[in-house]
Structures are given as C-alpha cells and as structure tokens.
Amino acid sequence: MELDDTFYAGKRLITLRMVLGLMEDADNSLETYRWATSALLHAIHTKDDLLSDYVKDVFRQKSMAPYRPYKEEEQADDTSPEEALRNIRMDDVVMRSKAKMAIEELMTLKDAKGEPLFCQKNHWWAVFRLFVDRRVCKIKENCYKEFIALIDSLEIIHVNAPLDMATLSNISQDIYRFPFIRWELKIPEDASSRWKTAYTRLYQIAEKLNSMLVKMGF
Amino acid sequence: MKIINSHYIPLPEPRWLIANAYGNIYEQLGTLTIVEDVSNKKDGYRIKTHSHPVVSHTAIDSNEVKDEQFFYYSTLTPANGEVLDDMELKDCRPICLSSLRSLDYWRFNALIFVFQTGEHHRDFLLEDFISDLRAFHVRLIFPEKELQEVTITSYNIDHGDGCRTTMLISDMTKILFVVPFYGYRENNKVQPNWDEIFLEFVNQARAYLEINSKYRFHFKSSVEMFNPLIERLNNELNDYLEREED
C-alpha cells in the first residue's frame, strides 16, 4: 500500500508539472484549452481533486469554459404540437382561413375570354397590396418575406402563377406600392398601351379581391 | 442549480396590466419568486432571486363583452394563472391598473421607446401593441390636434461588445416615431436603405392612424443629412395612408 501511495503521488506530481509547463508554454489559448481539458479528464479519471481544482482555477482565470458551450440548434419548423397549440389564437385562425378562401376563390375567376384572370407572377402584387391595405394577417409595408411565408403556410392547393421574392419586391418600382384607392390618381401620363393593359388586369384582380375581403369583414 | 425556496405571492385587486418585451399584454395575478443558491468558494455565500409573473391572458370576462374581435382574442388563449417562465418581472413593464384602463401618450411613448430600443426590438410590433391595448379596453389619451409636427433626430444605443445601433427618433413629448437607422457590429457599418426607413415610417404612421384617423404628420429636422428623407416623408407619406374620409 505504501508503495502504491508513493507511486501515485509521484505520478500526480509529474502530471501536475507536465500540465503546468505545457500550459505556460502554450502559444495560444486553444492550445492551453486542449492541455487543460486533457488534464481535467485525467483528474476526473484518477479522482484527483487537487489537480481538478487547479485546472478549474486555470479555466476560471483564463475565463474559459471546461466544455464547449451547448449551442441550441435552430429548428423553426420543428415546434412540438403542444407548443403550437399554446401559441395559437382564435383571431389568427379565423383570419388565416378567410385569407385562404379569398385567394382560392381569386384563382378560379375567369376573364371575358374564359381564361384565368390571375395568370402572371406580378399579379401577386395586387394580393400583397390588398393584404397590406386591409391589414390581413398582420402583413405590413416592406414585409415581403413574411408575405411569402404566409402564402406558403396556407398551403393553397393550386395557384395559377408561382410567387417569388424577386418579382414581389419589384412592387416598389411601380405605382402599385401605393394603397389601392390611390392607383387611379397615380397613373403616369406617358404610360404605354402595354402598361395600361397590364394595369387594367391588375386593377380588376385587386377590385375583386377587395370586394371579397370587405365581405369577409376585413 | 440549487433552488432553495419558491413562493407564490398573490396580488390584491385591483391588479395591474403588464406588457412583456414583445408588447404582449397580460393581467398580473401574482408573482412566483424563486431563490437560487449560487455560492462558490471564491465569493462565498451568494443567492440569486428570480421573479416570474403569473398572468391571466384575458383581463375581462369574455361573456360580458360583445366585441367580436375580443371574443376571438380571448378564445383559445391559455387558461388563467399561467407562469411566464421565459420572462421575468424586470423584462415587463406596468401599463395601468385594471380598474382604470387608460394610458396617456407620455407613458405610451416611454413604453414603446423602451421596447423599440431594447433587447427584443426586432420582435416588437407597434400595431400589435396598439391592437392588444384595444383588446384589453385600455383607453388611449392622445393629443387631439390634427396636424402633428414631428422633429427627427438620431439617437445612439450602445449594446456593448462593439455593437452599436443608431435610431431615428422624434420628440418624446409628441407622437413618437422610432426607426432603426444603421447599426455597427464589430466596426462594420450596417445601413438599411432609405426605402426601408421610409416604409417603416409609413408602418408606424399607419399604426397611429388606428388611434386617431385624423392625424396629419409634418416632418422636419435640423440635420442636413436627413433632408432627402424629410422631403420624401412630407411629399409621399400622405399617399400611403388610408383614411376613413377617403
């Protein structure tokens, strides 16, 4: 027993000296961190309190953590059903279902030739504009990302034209950035006939959607 | 973590309405205090206390209210007596007594200034805050004058760690606009474009029209750098706002 004790005491002294020397010689904090972690593991393994206290002191002095700080991974889509149920609010549910119904109905509308009224990417401008004007689902000016996220989350089975960020954010270049009631006043004098035909179609879509939203109580 | 003790302290009536850092409003029923032992060898005996509000999400009996919006609001909210485990009382601000539901614009300004420049300013929405106040039937006392002069200046906020934000703010004693202008993060300047700043002003002006639809805003500033923005605000802002008379 005596031999064992002195043997371990000697080994501990060697380890301590080695760790001390290596940590003092270390060129950077990462190297110190590595030596200190291995010393700490050694101390835990051999149940050496003196060494582990010393290493923990070193960690404290150097303001380092003996383990990697736990990083919570971002899992926005992976919320538990209980949490989702906790965050739900009845007015949101009602508003979202109404908005979905309005868009689904808009997709089925036909023009004079019997073709779908809503057929181009930039027709989403009218939907965005009316959602901002009527404050549907808390969509505000400049909230393009939120609008796209909202339409995605509604999971509308059929849309006549896809919605993308590049087209939607171009709304700020045209008169459609103004509220719907001001569109007629803002028509530029030198507008081309092509622009005017596009405008009339967008105006029709916006008018239809507006009347639907007003009926639904927005 | 060693918890020494925890206590529930019920509050007497009339209770206070409080708002958390995101601008959500609750009625505070009581406080749950937790005493934690954080003693260590170096500093000796130490304790740390946490106090979490215990809240009711619906301050009014929804059967008495005929307002459809409030009915929707109050249904499906968690039942009364929830402990806000992610918020402590120091993150919340009192609004008014639940027996005197009114808030004047001075205190309103102070509240939104704290929220919009605080840690969670990205999650705070002025419109939501105003609509929540409406849902809790808090009467907002605001100046009745239709033409509101808004003087804009810049205000620096130091978050520490080389992170600094500059906000555009208006006079605190009048209608308050708080818009992020640019931020410094580790000496890199992050500046949103003027379009974004302008549209943020539009969003906030629209929120104020919910309070009084007759408001007309006139902007001015003594800083030369803001002159293009001021010009655009004075010329175009009105076109973006929809009023009842339209």
Side-chain angles (χ1 to χ4, degrees):
Chain A
M1 283 299 286
E2 278 180 12
L3 186 73
D4 270 12
D5 277 356
T6 45
F7 174 72
Y8 280 118
K11 204 177 170 187
R12 191 170 71 185
L13 206 67
I14 293 164
T15 325
L16 252 171
R17 276 197 185 157
M18 193 180 76
V19 170
L20 267 169
L22 286 168
M23 279 200 293
E24 275 162 19
D25 293 348
D27 288 341
N28 52 31
S29 61
L30 187 67
E31 215 174 315
T32 320
Y33 176 82
R34 281 184 187 149
W35 283 117
T37 341
S38 58
L40 186 64
L41 281 172
H42 177 78
I44 293 165
H45 186 66
T46 56
K47 294 177 184 170
D48 192 339
D49 293 340
L50 184 71
L51 183 61
S52 76
D53 280 357
Y54 170 74
V55 176
K56 276 177 189 167
D57 260 6
V58 170
F59 273 122
R60 210 168 295 136
Q61 280 165 19
K62 303 250 175 190
S63 65
M64 288 191 295
Y67 45 82
R68 289 260 167 80
Y70 174 66
K71 264 188 190 171
E72 217 170 292
E73 286 178 14
E74 285 180 16
Q75 291 180 327
D77 307 331
D78 237 34
T79 48
S80 66
E82 289 85 11
E83 204 177 326
L85 193 65
R86 222 183 97 183
N87 294 333
I88 211 163
R89 264 169 54 170
M90 196 63 194
D91 51 352
D92 285 346
V93 177
V94 173
M95 208 182 254
R96 286 164 70 92
S97 63
K98 279 180 179 175
K100 189 178 177 180
M101 275 193 276
I103 295 174
E104 278 173 347
E105 206 180 321
L106 188 70
M107 294 296 164
T108 60
L109 293 179
K110 299 273 192 301
D111 63 359
K113 290 177 188 170
E115 286 165 10
L117 191 65
F118 189 105
C119 57
Q120 279 178 19
K121 274 183 183 179
N122 65 352
H123 291 166
W124 282 106
W125 289 350
V127 183
F128 176 76
R129 192 63 252 165
L130 263 297
F131 271 41
V132 176
D133 286 0
R134 297 254 150 229
R135 295 192 188 85
V136 182
C137 299
K138 293 172 185 170
I139 299 293
K140 298 193 298 176
E141 298 281 3
N142 211 20
C143 290
Y144 307 124
K145 272 185 202 167
E146 286 82 348
F147 180 72
I148 291 172
L150 171 75
I151 300 295
D152 280 347
S153 70
L154 291 180
E155 292 183 356
I156 297 158
I157 296 165
H158 177 70
V159 286
N160 299 349
L163 169 66
D164 65 46
M165 185 69 183
T167 321
L168 186 66
S169 56
N170 273 343
I171 193 176
S172 60
Q173 310 295 324
D174 218 326
I175 63 154
Y176 310 110
R177 68 178 187 273
F178 295 109
F180 173 57
I181 50 162
R182 302 235 198 285
W183 283 8
E184 277 180 292
L185 302 171
K186 295 285 175 185
I187 298 173
E189 288 170 7
D190 55 342
S192 62
S193 60
R194 199 180 157 195
W195 186 91
K196 274 184 180 167
T197 43
Y199 167 79
T200 24
R201 207 172 180 90
L202 257 164
Y203 189 87
Q204 278 178 347
I205 293 169
E207 209 174 18
K208 291 267 163 61
L209 184 63
N210 191 25
S211 62
M212 275 187 242
L213 293 175
V214 169
K215 257 188 218 168
M216 285 173 172
F218 282 110
Chain B
M1 186 181 135
K2 286 181 206 159
I3 292 176
I4 300 173
N5 210 341
S6 65
H7 271 295
Y8 174 63
I9 306 163
L11 294 177
E13 284 196 37
R15 301 194 186 99
W16 281 82
L17 296 184
I18 58 168
N20 71 2
Y22 305 119
N24 302 327
I25 298 173
Y26 311 98
E27 184 183 10
Q28 193 189 356
L29 304 176
T31 306
L32 183 73
T33 57
I34 288 162
V35 186
E36 186 194 345
D37 180 10
V38 286
S39 309
N40 56 33
K41 283 179 188 170
K42 202 176 174 186
D43 303 329
Y45 168 69
R46 283 282 164 89
I47 58 160
K48 204 174 176 186
T49 55
H50 307 270
S51 43
H52 294 276
V54 179
V55 297
S56 151
H57 294 257
T58 51
I60 316 164
D61 182 6
S62 57
N63 290 328
E64 288 175 11
V65 182
K66 286 169 187 170
D67 187 354
E68 193 188 346
Q69 197 190 348
F70 184 76
F71 172 73
Y72 287 145
Y73 180 87
S74 62
T75 325
L76 277 194
T77 53
N80 288 355
E82 196 200 353
V83 183
L84 294 187
D85 48 6
D86 56 342
M87 285 279 162
E88 290 191 40
L89 275 182
K90 64 183 175 194
D91 304 319
C92 301
R93 294 284 180 279
I95 294 177
C96 59
L97 277 171
S98 58
S99 57
L100 303 163
R101 286 162 196 269
S102 69
L103 185 67
D104 57 30
Y105 70 99
W106 275 67
R107 285 194 293 149
F108 180 91
N109 285 353
L111 278 169
I112 64 164
F113 182 76
V114 168
F115 292 144
Q116 296 211 5
T117 57
E119 203 183 330
H120 303 283
H121 68 275
R122 286 184 198 286
D123 300 309
F124 176 77
L125 284 177
L126 185 62
E127 298 89 316
D128 280 10
F129 185 57
I130 292 173
S131 68
D132 267 22
L133 285 170
R134 284 278 167 82
F136 276 85
H137 290 229
V138 177
R139 194 164 59 91
L140 291 168
I141 304 164
F142 264 66
E144 285 174 6
K145 208 172 129 191
E146 286 180 20
L147 186 71
Q148 292 291 329
E149 287 280 347
V150 183
T151 316
I152 292 172
T153 179
S154 61
Y155 181 86
N156 290 328
I157 301 152
D158 205 334
H159 302 289
D161 306 334
C163 191
R164 198 147 63 87
T165 330
T166 305
M167 313 290 272
L168 293 181
I169 65 161
S170 64
D171 192 350
M172 285 279 278
T173 57
K174 290 174 184 170
I175 303 290
L176 179 63
F177 286 83
V178 185
V179 176
F181 183 43
Y182 57 75
Y184 284 101
R185 185 173 276 278
E186 288 158 9
N187 300 326
N188 294 324
K189 196 167 163 185
V190 186
Q191 181 165 7
N193 58 23
W194 289 102
D195 228 34
E196 275 178 22
I197 296 170
F198 172 77
L199 290 174
E200 189 51 41
F201 270 101
V202 173
N203 284 330
Q204 293 193 14
R206 204 170 265 170
Y208 282 120
L209 287 195
E210 296 262 309
I211 296 170
N212 187 345
S213 62
K214 285 179 182 168
Y215 277 156
R216 288 179 193 282
F217 302 103
H218 183 258
F219 293 85
K220 59 180 183 182
S221 173
S222 49
V223 186
E224 254 183 52
M225 189 185 165
F226 302 147
N227 282 351
L229 176 71
I230 300 293
E231 216 169 277
R232 192 174 167 196
L233 282 169
N234 285 333
N235 293 336
E236 276 188 45
L237 182 76
N238 236 350
D239 289 339
Y240 280 84
L241 304 178
E242 225 177 314
R243 290 191 171 80
E244 280 171 16
E245 68 217 45
D246 299 329

